Amino acid sequence: MSRRTPRPRPDAVTAASPCPCGLPDTYGACCGARHAGSPAPTAEALMRSRYSAFAVRDAAYLLRTWHPDTRPEHLDLDERTRWLGLEVLASTDGGPFHQEGTVEFIATYLERGQQDTLREHSRFVRYDGAWVYVGPLPR
């Protein structure tokens, strides 16, 4: 179940723009709603919204949705990094009735003129009733 779409430039993302996460909704109806405070119903939805937060450089959202045991004190997002697309490879559990879940994905980005990918199998848990990112699973 692979879904990959290119994303617009961060400075061009508006509520009416296609969502950077690759789902067919607009940014405002999809990840923009999460960034504005609507909780993610699943681990995959949280992972997609975190990808979009990297794409639009919303460090506050990334920190807010990171488990406090693994969250860094601050996060500096490089303005020269342009996120190009997201491909969800697999997810396990992480649904509305689960307490844990994983999502494996590939994120494509452009940095200093070089295109590269980030592949991660991420762990998510519910913390105070909301999905949060814990970190990558060991390889």
Side-chain angles (χ1 to χ4, degrees):
M1 162 171 84
S2 173
R3 293 163 274 187
R4 180 186 300 202
T5 57
R7 66 155 224 88
R9 292 174 34 102
D11 55 351
V13 177
T14 67
S17 297
C19 194
C21 82
L23 292 180
D25 282 332
T26 64
Y27 171 70
C30 192
C31 293
R34 307 276 173 259
H35 298 168
S38 177
T42 65
E44 182 178 331
L46 180 65
M47 188 281 309
R48 288 179 172 280
S49 69
R50 286 177 55 82
Y51 168 83
S52 291
F54 276 103
V56 300
R57 293 191 284 276
D58 187 346
Y61 179 79
L62 291 165
L63 291 170
R64 208 169 46 247
T65 58
W66 210 314
H67 194 284
D69 290 347
T70 57
R71 176 178 50 220
E73 287 186 32
H74 67 281
L75 191 60
D76 295 320
L77 301 179
D78 190 340
E79 291 187 16
R80 297 171 295 181
T81 302
R82 183 171 172 219
W83 294 92
L84 304 173
L86 175 67
E87 182 179 1
V88 174
L89 302 174
S91 61
T92 57
D93 297 330
F97 302 106
H98 295 116
Q99 295 301 308
E100 294 189 27
T102 67
V103 181
E104 185 175 5
F105 67 91
I106 296 174
T108 305
Y109 63 95
L110 186 66
E111 189 171 80
R112 298 182 183 152
Q114 298 293 315
Q115 185 171 315
D116 205 349
T117 59
L118 166 69
R119 183 175 184 148
E120 184 173 301
H121 194 178
S122 301
R123 181 172 175 243
F124 298 85
V125 298
R126 286 199 188 264
Y127 182 81
D128 287 340
W131 285 109
V132 294
Y133 171 73
V134 176
L137 291 170
R139 290 184 182 213

